[in-house]
């Protein structure tokens, strides 16, 4: 019981500090957005966004507590940040720019306001991926894609290190040494993509990784030393 409670004090201390910076509670915001020129109602975003707060200067913030851990070693757990990133983009395209702060038992992530045109571009890429993923298995695997991005992979350039790191993350499986392949832990990926060559799909994996996950990685950045 003591071990479970140990990280909670620090988490709530961080939350209290954030409340001082963002002292004013706001009502949940209604989101309703259809991309300009689109008649396809399936692309309309309709949702509610909360919990929201405001600073004394009127800036908006979405302040959340997360029961997991957002920092592992010297890196953020960006796979856990994905849902918050999607909501962060949605708030921009259907409302106004805002800051997102997610505080966990191990570390916190802050997503800063984006330029409206950048947020719209990232949202459009999400919509393209969603539409394409309804037609066929999208050649993308989250952990492998993040590994590719970390090694400096670029869609239109050869990077053997990035390719091999992504391949190893997807394929190499040896539980005896704590090595688990992403494919082995995901029945969908195992069925859709027999190996990394099929996931690579002539370079399409690299293109989706760059479009969808590089913006997230750049927005999250690296944790401060005190969070490691």
């Amino acid at each position: 019981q003591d071990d479970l409670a140990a990280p909670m004090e620090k988490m709530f201390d961080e939350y209290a500090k954030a409340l001082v910076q963002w002292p004013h509670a706001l009502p949940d915001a209604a989101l309703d957005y259809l991309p300009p020129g689109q008649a396809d109602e399936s692309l309309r975003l309709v949702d509610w966004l909360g919990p929201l707060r405001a600073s004394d200067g009127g800036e908006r913030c979405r302040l959340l507590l997360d029961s997991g851990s957002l920092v592992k070693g010297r890196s953020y757990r960006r796979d856990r940040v994905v849902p918050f990133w999607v909501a962060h983009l949605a708030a921009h395209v259907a409302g106004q720019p805002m800051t997102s702060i997610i505080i966990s038992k191990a570390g916190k992530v802050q997503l800063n306001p984006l330029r409206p045109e950048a947020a719209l571009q990232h949202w459009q890429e999400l919509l393209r991926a969603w539409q394409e993923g309804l037609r066929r298995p999208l050649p993308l695997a989250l952990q492998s894609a993040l590994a590719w991005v970390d090694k400096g992979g670029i869609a239109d350039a050869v990077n053997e290190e990035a390719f091999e790191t992504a391949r190893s993350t997807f394929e190499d499986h040896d539980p005896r040494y704590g090595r688990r392949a992403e494919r082995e832990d995901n029945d969908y990926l195992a069925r859709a993509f027999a190996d990394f060559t099929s996931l690579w799909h002539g370079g399409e994996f690299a293109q989706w990784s760059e479009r969808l996950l590089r913006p997230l990685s750049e927005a999250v950045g690296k944790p401060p030393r005190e969070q490691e």
Side-chain angles (χ1 to χ4, degrees), residues 18-223:
L19 289 178
V20 173
Q21 185 179 1
W22 307 93
H24 308 292
L26 298 176
D28 290 354
L31 305 180
D32 189 348
Y33 177 76
L34 183 65
Q38 280 285 351
D40 184 357
E41 282 292 319
S42 70
L43 299 181
R44 181 182 291 277
L45 164 69
V46 180
D47 209 337
W48 289 87
L49 189 70
L52 299 176
R53 304 191 67 84
S55 67
D56 288 333
E59 296 91 350
R60 293 196 312 163
C61 174
R62 186 172 186 235
L63 179 60
L64 302 127
L65 290 172
D66 183 78
S67 61
S69 299
L70 293 177
V71 175
K72 183 178 181 180
R74 297 184 178 182
S75 301
Y76 282 120
R77 292 280 309 278
R78 288 160 299 167
D79 55 317
R80 295 187 59 88
V81 181
V82 168
F84 305 114
W85 170 246
V86 174
H88 189 69
L89 294 179
H92 282 70
V93 300
Q96 297 294 325
M98 72 171 193
T99 301
S100 293
I101 299 176
I102 308 97
I103 300 171
S104 78
K105 293 186 298 182
K108 68 176 182 178
V109 168
Q110 177 167 320
L111 301 173
N112 293 320
L114 301 167
R115 291 180 294 106
E117 58 272 21
L120 181 58
Q121 180 183 353
H122 300 330
W123 185 257
Q124 289 171 336
E125 292 293 353
L126 282 176
L127 288 184
R128 292 191 189 100
W130 177 70
Q131 288 179 293
E132 191 61 30
L134 291 175
R135 301 185 180 103
R136 64 189 174 103
L138 196 71
L140 185 72
L142 181 56
Q143 300 291 354
S144 303
L146 288 170
W148 182 86
V149 168
D150 282 346
K151 291 299 181 180
I154 299 175
D156 298 324
V158 177
N159 185 325
E160 294 293 342
E161 183 182 13
F163 181 94
E164 176 56 26
T165 301
R167 184 210 63 75
S168 177
T169 301
F170 187 73
E171 286 185 353
D172 291 351
H173 187 72
D174 193 342
R176 296 174 302 170
Y177 299 100
R179 178 75 182 181
R180 301 198 63 84
E182 184 175 15
R183 178 186 59 188
E184 300 301 318
D185 287 335
N186 188 310
D187 291 340
Y188 158 71
L189 290 175
R191 180 185 176 102
F193 305 104
D195 52 28
F196 186 70
T197 299
S198 59
L199 178 67
W200 181 254
H201 207 266
E204 195 177 355
F205 165 87
Q207 295 169 8
W208 287 116
S209 300
E210 183 162 317
R211 294 172 188 170
L212 299 179
L213 294 174
R214 189 179 302 281
L216 164 64
S217 290
E218 292 175 350
V220 170
K222 296 287 186 181

